[in-house]
Amino acid sequence: MVTNPRSNPRREESLTRDRIVEAAIELLDGDGEGSLTFRTLSQRLATGPGAIYGHVANKSDLLTAACDTIVARAAAAGAAGKTPRANLRAFALAMFDAMDAHAWVGSALIQAAGQMPTVRILERIGRQVRALGVPDDAQWAAASALLHYILGVGGLNAANTQFARARGADRSNFLDTMAAAWSRLDPAEYPFARSVAGQLRAHDDRVDFLAGIDLILRGLKPSRER
């Protein structure tokens, strides 16, 4: 009687949750969320799906863990400011860059609403809002506004990047085409859109993002200034 060979115990012992998450991030970065399956992941890790299930419950759990890893790295990268405002700007920009580099993170954060990645972002923002001296009864609204701005604008930028890549469009050509279309709009119905069509061609997404952060921060005042 021939028995099936048992898996290499050393290989299974070396398999950790961190290794699985890192492999998942590589798959997500390469081909998007659709590429993340336990079969593909087990092939990359040279193990069986059962061994992976010993560390993560399901794909949703794995996607949330991968997202949380990226958020934690962004939090570490955006920790160099000397003031609460500087810390908030640095963290916001780190999150923007993270979502730009890992386009799947925006949708993963939406799917993980209320879970650790979002809580981690909220905690980082909330501590700085509190350090600014914002009154207790205004801290939630302030932190929430920053949270939704960061996730919304960062996620939209990543989605736009993916949209252009999927169509093989160069960013400059893509913006030129859009600007040309805006400039042909009815001036009576779309006066503003027509007026900024030229700026659309040369705008910097990161600069615009930070301008929005600064607008929000200017509205956050400590109790003594109210």
Side-chain angles (χ1 to χ4, degrees):
M1 177 178 178
V2 178
T3 58
N4 292 327
R6 299 183 64 181
S7 59
N8 188 328
R10 290 185 178 179
R11 183 178 63 195
E12 290 191 0
E13 287 173 6
S14 66
L15 187 66
T16 63
R17 183 178 174 89
D18 286 345
R19 275 194 63 210
I20 293 169
V21 169
E22 289 299 332
I25 290 172
E26 290 177 7
L27 284 171
L28 289 162
D29 286 347
D31 298 302
E33 189 177 335
S35 67
L36 184 60
T37 66
F38 274 49
R39 174 178 293 182
T40 304
L41 192 58
S42 63
Q43 292 173 348
R44 175 160 296 211
L45 291 167
T47 190
I52 297 175
Y53 278 113
H55 295 275
V56 291
N58 49 47
K59 179 178 175 178
S60 178
D61 178 35
L62 180 55
L63 186 61
T64 299
C67 181
D68 191 44
T69 296
I70 299 300
V71 171
R73 290 174 183 170
K82 295 182 179 179
T83 67
R85 291 181 188 276
N87 280 328
L88 281 167
R89 291 180 92 255
F91 176 60
L93 189 58
M95 280 300 306
F96 180 88
D97 290 340
M99 285 187 276
D100 188 51
H102 309 278
W104 52 273
V105 168
S107 64
L109 282 167
I110 294 173
Q111 295 178 54
Q115 298 183 54
M116 186 48 65
T118 308
V119 174
R120 191 186 296 277
I121 297 170
L122 181 64
E123 179 66 26
R124 182 61 186 273
I125 293 171
R127 289 188 185 189
Q128 301 306 316
V129 166
R130 181 173 290 174
L132 279 170
V134 174
D136 291 349
D137 61 355
Q139 288 178 9
W140 165 251
S144 181
L146 284 163
L147 171 69
H148 288 97
Y149 178 83
I150 291 169
L151 299 188
V153 177
L156 180 60
N157 177 73
N160 287 340
T161 299
Q162 288 293 92
F163 179 85
R165 285 177 182 169
R167 287 155 180 75
D170 173 78
R171 183 180 186 276
S172 296
N173 293 336
F174 180 74
L175 291 177
D176 281 344
T177 301
M178 189 181 298
W182 286 19
S183 66
R184 292 192 296 269
L185 292 171
D186 186 330
E189 292 190 38
Y190 304 97
F192 179 77
R194 280 176 57 95
S195 71
V196 298
Q199 297 176 43
L200 181 64
R201 288 187 171 91
H203 82 280
D204 186 307
D205 293 321
R206 293 172 90 248
V207 171
D208 291 348
F209 174 78
L210 277 179
I213 291 291
D214 289 337
L215 282 172
I216 298 174
L217 290 179
R218 281 199 288 272
L220 303 185
K221 298 184 182 299
S223 299
R224 64 181 179 275
E225 294 181 19
R226 286 177 175 263

